[in-house]
Amino acid sequence: MSDGVVPLASLSLTHVHYDPTDRLSYLCAWLALIPQGLCVAYATLIWATREAEIALLFAGQLACEALNFGLKRLIKEERPRLMNGKGYGMPSSHAQFVSYFSVSLMLFLLLRHTPPPTTSRRRNHTPMGLPERAGWSALALAVAAAVAWSRVYLNYHTERQVLVGCAAGSVSAIGWFVITALVRRTGWLAWALETPVARFFRVRDLVVEEDLCQAGWEKWDDKVTELKARERKKGR
């Protein structure tokens, strides 16, 4: 510019256009931030739990994003004419992201997660049953559908771009599930968990058989029970 002032740019990663007079449009703007929120959840859970399954899930998510990056530059289909976004639109990265996550979560909860049988339940923990796991899976799929639909409502993508994104994400999730199943079955995961790096970072593989909320809960509950027993003895 002639006066030496440099125009500012916005960070499009979290920048969402919506109609301020439309409440539904405002809701869709929040739905558009779910992928970013999931990335924060990924990082937090990986660091806090050190679970191999979550790290593998995130690795597949990154591979899915790389696939979307390549597909957009291969297909080179523009966004809708009255678009609210930059770059190519086919396939929708939001739709592909949430489809991968929701389908992966469903496959894990219904096929890979094997909680202990009801006969081996402890007094301080009841594992998730199949109906509960099916309910969480349905909720994840519903949220993914809402996010995908919001991209059309906000005029960032056409319906076809969103549908292709959902298909790409779902296929990626199924493919990655098969790959990780082979990694487990062939013993590569068990080998990796015994490497010095994995042991240094305390990487574990427990979530396949127990709930995330269970980690440390039995130890804490036993400690509280022991403290209460000591207090009762002192009170006598």
Side-chain angles (χ1 to χ4, degrees):
M1 299 178 65
S2 58
D3 55 359
V5 178
V6 178
L8 299 177
S10 65
L11 181 62
S12 58
L13 182 65
T14 57
H15 191 91
V16 184
H17 291 93
Y18 70 96
D19 182 358
T21 64
D22 184 354
R23 292 184 178 180
L24 192 54
S25 179
Y26 179 69
L27 174 62
C28 289
W30 281 102
L31 288 173
L33 299 179
I34 285 181
Q36 290 89 330
L38 286 175
C39 286
V40 174
Y42 272 128
T44 302
L45 287 173
I46 290 172
W47 177 255
T49 68
R50 313 299 172 95
E51 281 288 343
E53 181 67 22
I54 301 176
L56 288 172
L57 182 65
F58 186 48
Q61 189 81 72
L62 294 177
C64 186
E65 284 296 287
L67 174 63
N68 180 269
F69 182 87
L71 287 175
K72 281 189 173 182
R73 282 146 187 81
L74 178 64
I75 300 173
K76 296 182 178 180
E77 182 174 300
E78 299 295 334
R79 294 177 183 267
R81 288 188 177 182
L82 299 176
M83 70 174 186
N84 286 324
K86 300 177 181 178
Y88 298 117
M90 174 67 86
S92 166
S93 58
H94 276 71
Q96 187 169 331
F97 189 105
V98 294
S99 294
Y100 168 87
F101 176 80
S102 60
V103 173
S104 293
L105 182 62
M106 179 187 67
L107 292 172
F108 170 75
L109 290 176
L110 299 182
L111 299 181
R112 181 166 292 168
H113 184 58
T114 53
T118 55
T119 54
S120 63
R121 289 179 181 176
R122 295 193 54 175
R123 61 172 177 79
N124 49 12
H125 177 59
T126 301
M128 281 196 302
L130 181 59
E132 187 177 356
R133 284 180 278 140
W136 283 112
S137 300
L139 178 61
L141 293 173
V143 173
V147 173
W149 170 80
S150 72
R151 304 307 288 169
V152 177
Y153 192 85
L154 292 175
N155 208 43
Y156 275 87
H157 293 281
T158 64
E159 293 180 359
R160 190 164 68 104
Q161 291 170 352
V162 165
L163 289 175
V164 173
C166 289
S170 300
V171 171
S172 297
I174 295 172
W176 189 248
F177 184 82
V178 172
I179 291 173
T180 53
L182 292 174
V183 170
R184 288 178 173 278
R185 185 171 300 179
T186 55
W188 281 102
L189 179 60
W191 170 82
L193 292 176
E194 290 299 319
T195 60
V197 174
R199 294 185 64 83
F200 175 80
F201 285 105
R202 305 293 193 271
V203 182
R204 64 207 69 174
D205 189 31
L206 295 175
V207 74
V208 173
E209 296 181 355
E210 69 176 29
D211 301 336
L212 275 178
C213 61
Q214 179 66 5
W217 166 248
E218 290 182 357
K219 184 177 180 180
W220 165 253
D221 193 54
D222 290 340
K223 181 179 180 180
V224 171
T225 302
E226 183 181 354
L227 289 174
K228 289 180 179 179
R230 290 179 181 177
E231 290 177 359
R232 284 195 296 267
K233 287 182 179 180
K234 289 181 180 179
R236 291 178 181 177

